[in-house]
């Protein structure tokens, strides 16, 4: 899919649901935004992750920084720049990196786009895709994925989108099936993953493109889930002597704020 703005759509039968949008910008960056759900309040936080643990549950007391956002315009997005600066942006959010590398707002220094990591660049979880905005049709710039092709159980409504940033040189491995572009990637477990390709219109002006692994899974009824959440790749990583990843820092967003704790707001106060 060649486009600088691509809407990812999930189709079940004749019904289509908008999941997210991917944007490539002229400075070589890409952004992920999610303006298609009904929740207006988000909890944003930055937290350390221990990659030696198979599962890790975080509380707000474990976070490095956390805020609540009144996102009435659903304008929140994650942006990843060629330098590796990775941050939240949107109406009322100030996240920037100064010339000396100092980061202001909710952001981290992650890997540069010229040297992507083998793991996911971002991870999106939707509790129930049927609650997302419906669309009557999909356009040439949209990635429309049929539920039948990604799920063995159509009753699963918990939808996962993992985005992998892939170097420009790998575009020669892209292939087509039924009008859609794919690329294969070997998972760390040894399984070959089939990824949907989303790439900028003029790919040679960018460091790379995105491969999306989209699937559904059953909900664990004993856990509380956000309606919509996404997380990023890590920054500030620590490795052992064998260069095995130990810890890192990631960014997270959850709609709504299911922590039930009062958080400082990202929104600027109205001018008096």
């Amino acid at each position: 899919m060649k486009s600088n703005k691509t809407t990812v759509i999930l189709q079940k039968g004749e019904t289509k649901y908008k999941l997210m949008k991917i944007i490539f910008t002229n400075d070589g960056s890409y952004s992920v935004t999610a303006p298609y759900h009904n929740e207006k309040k988000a909890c944003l936080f930055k937290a350390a992750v221990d990659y030696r643990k198979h599962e890790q549950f975080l509380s707000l007391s474990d976070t490095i920084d956390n805020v609540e956002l009144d996102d009435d315009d659903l304008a929140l997005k994650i942006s990843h720049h060629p330098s590796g600066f990775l941050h939240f942006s949107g109406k009322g959010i100030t996240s920037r990196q100064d010339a000396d590398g100092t980061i202001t707002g909710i952001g981290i220094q992650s890997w540069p786009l010229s040297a992507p990591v083998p793991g996911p660049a971002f991870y999106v979880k939707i509790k129930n895709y049927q609650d997302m905005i419906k669309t009557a049709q999909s356009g040439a710039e949209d990635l429309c994925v049929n539920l039948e092709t990604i799920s063995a159980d159509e009753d699963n409504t918990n939808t996962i989108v993992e985005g992998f940033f892939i170097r420009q040189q790998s575009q020669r491995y892209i292939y087509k099936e039924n009008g859609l572009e794919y690329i294969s990637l070997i998972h760390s477990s040894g399984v070959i993953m089939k990824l949907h390709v989303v790439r900028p219109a003029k790919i040679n002006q960018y460091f790379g493109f995105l491969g999306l692994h989209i699937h559904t899974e059953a909900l664990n009824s004993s856990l509380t889930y956000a309606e919509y959440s996404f997380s990023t790749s890590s920054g500030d990583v620590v490795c052992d002597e064998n260069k095995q990843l130990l810890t890192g820092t990631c960014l997270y967003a959850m709609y709504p704020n299911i922590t039930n704790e009062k958080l400082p707001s990202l929104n600027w106060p109205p001018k008096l």
Side-chain angles (χ1 to χ4, degrees), residues 11-224:
Q11 181 172 352
K12 181 180 182 182
E14 297 299 318
T15 309
K16 297 178 179 179
Y17 304 90
K18 293 183 177 182
L19 302 185
M20 55 189 283
K21 184 182 288 291
I22 294 171
I23 303 168
F24 293 96
T25 52
N26 291 333
D27 66 351
S29 307
Y30 74 86
S31 299
V32 180
T33 186
Y36 305 122
H37 53 83
N38 298 314
E39 299 294 339
K40 302 298 184 181
K41 283 185 179 293
C43 171
L44 314 181
F45 58 96
K46 178 166 53 175
V49 177
D50 189 339
Y51 289 101
R52 294 164 293 186
K53 298 179 179 179
H54 179 66
E55 290 184 329
Q56 186 174 355
F57 295 92
L58 300 172
S59 66
L60 283 186
S61 61
D62 298 321
T63 62
I64 300 168
D65 201 359
N66 55 72
V67 292
E68 183 176 87
L69 171 70
D70 293 320
D71 193 19
D72 292 335
D73 296 330
L74 294 175
L76 177 69
K77 64 181 178 181
I78 285 283
S79 296
H80 197 154
H81 299 281
S83 66
F85 179 41
L86 180 58
H87 65 96
F88 286 114
S89 61
K91 183 179 179 180
I93 305 174
T94 53
S95 294
R96 69 175 187 271
Q97 187 174 40
D98 296 333
D100 63 358
T102 301
I103 293 175
T104 301
I106 308 295
I108 56 176
Q109 180 61 41
S110 190
W111 42 269
L113 298 185
S114 58
V117 296
F122 61 85
Y123 180 95
V124 174
K125 176 177 282 189
I126 301 164
K127 183 178 180 180
N128 186 356
Y129 67 81
Q130 294 171 326
D131 290 337
M132 305 298 284
I133 291 177
K134 297 178 183 178
T135 181
Q137 58 186 6
S138 55
E141 294 186 344
D142 299 329
L143 172 61
C144 188
V145 179
N146 197 308
L147 182 64
E148 294 179 354
T149 66
I150 63 168
S151 176
D153 187 349
E154 294 188 24
D155 291 331
N156 292 341
T157 61
N158 197 37
T159 307
I160 310 296
V161 181
E162 293 176 284
F164 296 80
F165 192 82
I166 301 170
R167 295 180 64 192
Q168 179 199 104
Q169 294 90 327
S170 296
Q171 63 179 305
R172 64 192 177 109
Y173 299 111
I174 295 173
Y175 60 94
K176 283 190 175 183
E177 285 185 6
N178 300 319
L180 296 179
E181 292 186 335
Y182 298 92
I183 193 167
S184 296
L185 188 72
I186 300 177
H187 189 269
S188 58
S189 65
V191 174
I192 297 177
M193 304 172 67
K194 182 179 179 180
L195 309 180
H196 288 86
V197 169
V198 175
R199 49 178 168 158
K202 297 181 180 178
I203 191 171
N204 293 334
Q205 298 178 5
Y206 295 81
F207 286 102
F209 57 95
L210 289 168
L212 305 184
H213 186 244
I214 308 172
H215 64 282
T216 63
E217 64 182 24
L219 289 174
N220 184 338
S221 59
S222 65
L223 298 177
T224 301

